[in-house]
């Protein structure tokens, strides 16, 4: 009967209660959601690939293997390869600290972790200009020691780390808090060291949430535009990432090449979505399993 909750089997999570609205109301809401997704997601995505292949496969490949495009792809991969592992280490350390311990300043630390979500990426890029620019706080010292941060790879990596570091931590913190400390405490009582407790107890419990955060962090690192645009200097073949390369090609009215590079980012988004969906499913399965174990 509609509106009456179904009994929950042992070890299963309760399902969402059924609403009492007529079927036509639900159909209208579903139709509105599908229409919105079609207009703002599917159509633009199809348009990107249609424009990328408008001049044929040969023109598409030529745009991808062009020297500046290859350089942009390499720089994007290098930036992500540096930023994501560093954010992984920070995310695990911060989430462990916040979820497992009580200390003064805990709320302030949580606020700092959320800071990149509330600050415009352009503003975060300007912060690094104020710090490492020619007229910045450390600019003169860096110039004397021939150390280049801005308009070089280090500045791009720093800006990318800043805008992406909350993703892993924000995925792990609620997961660790929900799991509690019982298993770690039991392992320590049985004589396990801190490292063994983390490696054999904590890490297996958070592995799917950890992968989920890493995938989101990697997608944002490769697609970041605002902060990187400020600190890169837009030097073709040297400091342009893929999003910046798309902007330059589009401003030069080289639409086919611009959409060809953009299609690579779109493919990245699709792969990320597929991995995200799979890991989300595995994470839900893991939560069901945890609930079953606790009941037993």
């Amino acid at each position: 009967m509609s509106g009456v909750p179904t009994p929950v089997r042992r070890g299963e999570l309760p399902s969402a209660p059924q609403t009492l609205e007529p079927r036509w109301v639900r159909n209208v809401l579903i139709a509105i959601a599908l229409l919105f997704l079609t207009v703002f997601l599917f159509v633009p995505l199809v348009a990107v690939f249609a424009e990328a292949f408008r001049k044929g496969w040969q023109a598409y490949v030529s745009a991808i293997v062009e020297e500046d495009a290859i350089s942009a792809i390499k720089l994007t991969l290098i930036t992500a390869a540096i930023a994501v592992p560093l954010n992984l280490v920070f995310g695990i350390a911060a989430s462990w600290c916040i979820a497992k311990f009580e200390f003064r300043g805990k709320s302030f630390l949580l606020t700092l972790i959320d800071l990149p979500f509330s600050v415009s990426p352009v503003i975060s890029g300007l912060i690094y200009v104020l710090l490492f620019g020619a007229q910045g706080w450390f600019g003169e010292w860096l110039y004397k020691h021939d150390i280049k941060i801005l308009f070089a790879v280090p500045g791009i990596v720093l800006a990318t780390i800043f805008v992406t570091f909350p993703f892993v931590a924000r995925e792990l913190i609620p997961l660790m808090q929900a799991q509690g400390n019982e298993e770690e405490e039991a392992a320590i009582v049985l004589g396990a060291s801190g490292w063994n407790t983390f490696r054999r107890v904590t890490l297996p419990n958070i592995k799917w949430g950890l992968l989920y955060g890493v995938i989101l962090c990697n997608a944002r690192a490769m697609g970041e535009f605002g902060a990187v645009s400020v600190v890169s200097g837009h030097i073709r073949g040297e400091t342009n990432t893929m999003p910046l390369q798309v902007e330059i090609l589009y401003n030069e009215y080289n639409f086919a090449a611009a959409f060809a590079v953009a299609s690579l980012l779109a493919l990245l988004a699709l792969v990320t979505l597929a991995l995200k969906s799979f890991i989300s499913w595995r994470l839900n399965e893991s939560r069901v399993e945890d609930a079953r174990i606790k009941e037993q």
Side-chain angles (χ1 to χ4, degrees):
M1 180 177 179
S2 180
V4 178
T6 57
V8 180
R9 296 180 181 177
R10 181 179 180 85
E12 289 185 354
L13 294 179
S15 59
Q18 297 294 320
T19 60
L20 300 177
E21 286 79 7
R23 181 180 295 275
W24 70 267
V25 174
R26 285 177 285 174
N27 291 338
V28 169
L29 292 176
I30 293 172
I32 291 174
L34 290 176
L35 178 63
F36 186 90
L37 290 174
T38 300
V39 173
F40 293 101
L41 179 62
F42 299 136
V43 171
L45 191 61
V46 171
V48 168
F49 287 97
E51 290 293 332
F53 289 98
R54 171 170 289 186
K55 294 185 178 181
W57 174 257
Q58 186 173 359
Y60 178 85
V61 174
S62 298
I64 297 298
V65 300
E66 194 265 334
E67 185 177 354
D68 289 343
I70 292 294
S71 175
I73 293 171
K74 288 182 178 178
L75 180 57
T76 301
L77 295 176
I78 290 172
T79 301
I82 297 174
V84 173
L86 291 177
N87 284 327
L88 172 64
V89 174
F90 168 79
I92 293 175
S95 57
W96 175 277
C97 179
I98 291 172
K100 305 298 182 180
F101 302 99
E102 293 295 332
F103 55 92
R104 296 179 63 181
K106 183 175 179 178
S107 298
F108 181 65
L109 178 58
L110 279 168
T111 302
L112 290 179
I113 291 176
D114 289 336
L115 185 63
F117 288 146
S118 57
V119 175
S120 168
V122 174
I123 300 301
S124 63
L126 288 174
I127 292 173
Y128 287 103
V129 173
L130 292 175
L131 290 175
F132 305 118
Q135 307 300 323
W137 292 2
F138 308 109
E140 185 177 352
W141 184 88
L142 292 172
Y143 178 78
K144 289 180 179 178
H145 291 80
D146 195 26
I147 300 175
K148 199 169 185 180
I149 303 294
L150 288 184
F151 313 139
V153 175
I156 295 173
V157 172
L158 287 174
T160 303
I161 290 174
F162 179 85
V163 299
T164 58
F165 77 76
F167 286 96
V168 176
R170 263 304 170 190
E171 183 61 35
L172 292 182
I173 289 171
L175 181 60
M176 284 187 174
Q177 288 175 333
Q179 290 175 348
N181 301 330
E182 291 83 2
E183 295 185 20
E184 285 86 354
E185 291 172 352
I188 292 174
V189 169
L190 292 174
S193 63
W195 169 247
N196 283 332
T197 300
F198 172 77
R199 185 168 58 90
R200 297 188 176 184
V201 178
T202 304
L203 192 58
N205 288 337
I206 65 172
K207 60 181 179 181
W208 294 112
L210 182 62
L211 287 174
Y212 192 90
V214 167
I215 288 173
L216 294 179
C217 178
N218 182 71
R220 178 63 187 273
M222 289 190 174
E224 176 55 32
F225 178 83
V228 173
S229 178
V230 174
V231 302
S232 70
H234 294 268
I235 305 173
R236 298 189 68 154
E238 294 185 22
T239 62
N240 277 339
T241 58
M242 291 171 66
L244 300 184
Q245 181 70 10
V246 171
E247 181 197 30
I248 288 177
L249 293 172
Y250 191 85
N251 289 338
E252 293 176 348
Y253 301 100
N254 191 354
F255 299 129
F259 281 104
V261 178
S263 69
L264 296 180
L265 291 173
L267 284 174
L268 170 66
L270 294 175
V271 172
T272 301
L273 179 62
L275 292 174
K276 177 177 173 291
S277 299
F278 172 75
I279 291 176
S280 180
W281 172 74
R282 288 295 303 171
L283 189 58
N284 289 333
E285 289 289 316
S286 178
R287 288 170 179 169
V288 172
E289 184 65 24
D290 290 341
R292 183 181 295 111
I293 293 174
K294 288 181 179 180
E295 282 191 2
Q296 294 174 353

